[in-house]
């Protein structure tokens, strides 16, 4: 690309790539500035769920935004397949959260009741099902499973194919993707911004911070407070098996290749991505109780990765009040929200009224909470 960019997107993971793909598809001239492969890469450690149930407990706007994205996911998957030639493996048969005792089931029922009480949500059609109905959906569930929640809108994808497909789209839409361009400074320049990297400067009329945990460092440069913290999660992957699961679960899903992915943990240990073997053992033990059929399977891979978590767990979207044209887009649900980011949010960056549209996701909510 020659000349100034309409938009400079900082970050080339699932959030940044989805936003840049949507901008490029809308005809904008876009530069994506990405760090090197030694950067924190949440997108490469993702579990791959397109998940609706439970999302937005305490924020109905997030529940609605998540449902919207799940509804638009078939459109995104079809576009990436047709335009970029990449099948991301989208399957949306509905999803289960199995319970191993009555206390877990009671907690799940309470969550659904809270969600039902939020305006305009209706718990996103999630409901409690008993053990019999759960086994009708998944006959290999273990004898300890006493019930589950089921949501018909849940599904899963291959997150690596998704990232590959979005990046293929960046090339096709002539988005200027620049790897190894860590951003050092962002400076106001007329009506736009000079973005200074370790390899030179890029000018853009607008700038979007989509750098995950890096947004905390970049935000103050454009008058944005982006309070996020790392949340470590572990994933285990079995050898390839015959069909054992037909629905994704919050902690188990079988991929198109036949492997079973096991998660999900949550550890607040800073930027430590080392494996905690007690956590690995706990995840494996629960997986065997839920699905005894995988009890003899070998674990062939395991890793940990860092989620990008805001104080309340919900996304942060905002245009800076002091630096108009500078935006932040960050969340921990890069796969689930990819369709909304690409098809809905990205075009809004080219129009007025961004803060009005996404008022509920403003970082101002954290200042209001602190003041209270």
């Amino acid at each position: 690309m020659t000349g100034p960019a309409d938009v400079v997107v900082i970050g080339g993971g699932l959030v940044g790539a989805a936003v840049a793909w949507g901008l490029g598809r809308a005809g904008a001239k876009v530069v994506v500035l990405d760090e090197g492969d030694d950067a924190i890469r949440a997108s490469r450690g993702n579990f791959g769920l397109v998940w609706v149930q439970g999302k937005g407990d305490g924020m109905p706007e997030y529940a609605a935004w998540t449902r919207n994205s799940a509804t638009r996911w078939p459109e995104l998957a079809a576009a990436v397949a047709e335009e970029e030639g990449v099948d991301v493996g989208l399957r949306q048969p509905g999803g289960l959260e199995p319970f191993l005792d009555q206390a877990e089931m009671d907690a799940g029922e309470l969550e659904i009741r809270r969600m039902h009480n939020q305006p305009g949500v209706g718990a996103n059609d999630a409901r409690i099902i008993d053990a019999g109905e759960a086994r009708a959906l998944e006959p290999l569930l273990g004898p300890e499973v006493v019930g589950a929640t089921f949501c018909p809108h849940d599904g899963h994808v291959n997150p690596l194919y998704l990232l590959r497909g979005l990046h293929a789209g960046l090339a096709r839409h002539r988005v200027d993707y620049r790897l190894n361009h860590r951003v050092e400074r962002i400076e106001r320049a007329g009506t736009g911004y000079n973005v200074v990297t370790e390899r030179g400067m890029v000018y853009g009329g607008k700038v979007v911070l989509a750098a995950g945990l890096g947004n905390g460092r970049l935000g103050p440069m454009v008058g944005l407070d982006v309070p996020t913290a790392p949340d470590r999660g572990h994933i285990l992957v079995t050898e390839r098996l015959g069909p054992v699961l037909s629905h994704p679960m919050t902690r188990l899903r079988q991929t198109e290749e036949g492997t079973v992915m096991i998660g999900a943990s949550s550890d607040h240990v800073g930027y430590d991505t080392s494996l905690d073997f007690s956590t690995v053992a706990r995840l494996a033990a629960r997986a065997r109780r839920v699905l005894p059929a995988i009890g003899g399977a070998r674990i062939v891979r395991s890793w940990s990765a860092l989620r990008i978590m805001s104080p309340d767990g919900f996304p942060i979207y905002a245009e800076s009040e002091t630096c108009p044209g500078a935006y932040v887009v960050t969340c921990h649900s890069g796969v689930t929200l990819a369709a909304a980011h690409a098809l809905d949010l990205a075009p809004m960056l080219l129009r007025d009224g961004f803060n009005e549209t996404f008022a509920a996701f403003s970082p101002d909510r954290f200042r209001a909470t602190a003041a209270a």
Side-chain angles (χ1 to χ4, degrees), residues 8-232:
V8 175
V9 176
I10 303 175
L14 283 173
V15 173
V19 169
W21 184 89
L23 288 168
R25 199 169 185 243
K29 293 176 65 175
V30 183
V31 173
V32 174
L33 302 175
D34 205 0
E35 289 195 57
D37 282 340
D38 58 346
I40 297 168
R41 296 285 188 181
S43 298
R44 296 183 184 178
N46 200 289
F47 197 62
L49 294 178
V50 176
W51 211 246
V52 173
Q53 62 173 290
K55 294 287 185 75
D57 184 6
M59 181 185 279
E61 295 88 353
Y62 180 41
W65 183 236
T66 301
R67 171 73 178 278
N68 167 70
S69 192
T71 300
R72 301 213 68 181
W73 242 108
E75 182 182 347
L76 176 64
V80 172
E82 293 166 11
E83 298 173 17
E84 325 307 348
V86 178
D87 180 359
V88 301
L90 175 67
R91 304 291 183 272
Q92 288 180 289
L96 292 166
E97 166 67 352
F99 304 128
L100 291 174
D101 57 42
Q102 191 60 45
E104 289 184 0
M105 195 160 176
D106 290 345
E109 188 169 8
L110 262 178
E111 178 181 79
I112 286 179
R113 287 180 181 177
R114 288 195 303 269
M115 295 285 289
H116 267 299
N117 289 336
Q118 294 184 157
V121 175
N124 279 331
D125 300 322
R127 60 188 177 89
I128 293 286
I129 60 176
D130 62 21
E133 188 173 354
R135 288 190 178 84
L137 293 171
E138 292 293 347
L140 297 182
L141 288 175
E144 293 183 72
V145 173
V146 298
T149 53
F150 175 77
C151 177
H153 311 295
D154 292 335
H156 55 149
V157 300
N158 185 316
L160 298 181
Y161 284 167
L162 172 59
L163 190 60
R164 175 185 170 188
L166 291 172
H167 275 259
L170 300 187
R172 196 174 63 80
H173 292 302
R174 298 187 178 182
V175 171
D176 186 352
Y177 173 75
R178 303 186 186 183
L179 186 61
N180 297 315
H181 277 67
R182 184 180 191 272
V183 172
E184 304 293 346
R185 300 191 311 279
I186 306 172
E187 303 167 344
R188 192 72 184 269
T191 58
Y193 296 90
N194 288 328
V195 183
V196 181
T197 80
E198 55 193 2
R199 295 194 175 191
M201 186 179 72
V202 179
Y203 175 83
K206 296 183 175 183
V207 61
V208 179
L209 310 185
L213 291 167
N215 289 334
R217 176 180 67 87
L218 299 169
M221 300 179 189
V222 289
L224 286 166
D225 179 26
V226 190
T228 56
D231 179 18
R232 185 177 69 182

Side-chain angles (χ1 to χ4, degrees), residues 47 49 97-98 249-253 261-264 283 286-287:
F47 197 62
L49 294 178
E97 166 67 352
M249 302 178 183
T250 47
R251 298 176 177 91
L252 285 169
R253 75 177 188 93
M261 297 183 70
I262 302 168
L283 293 176
R286 182 182 177 92

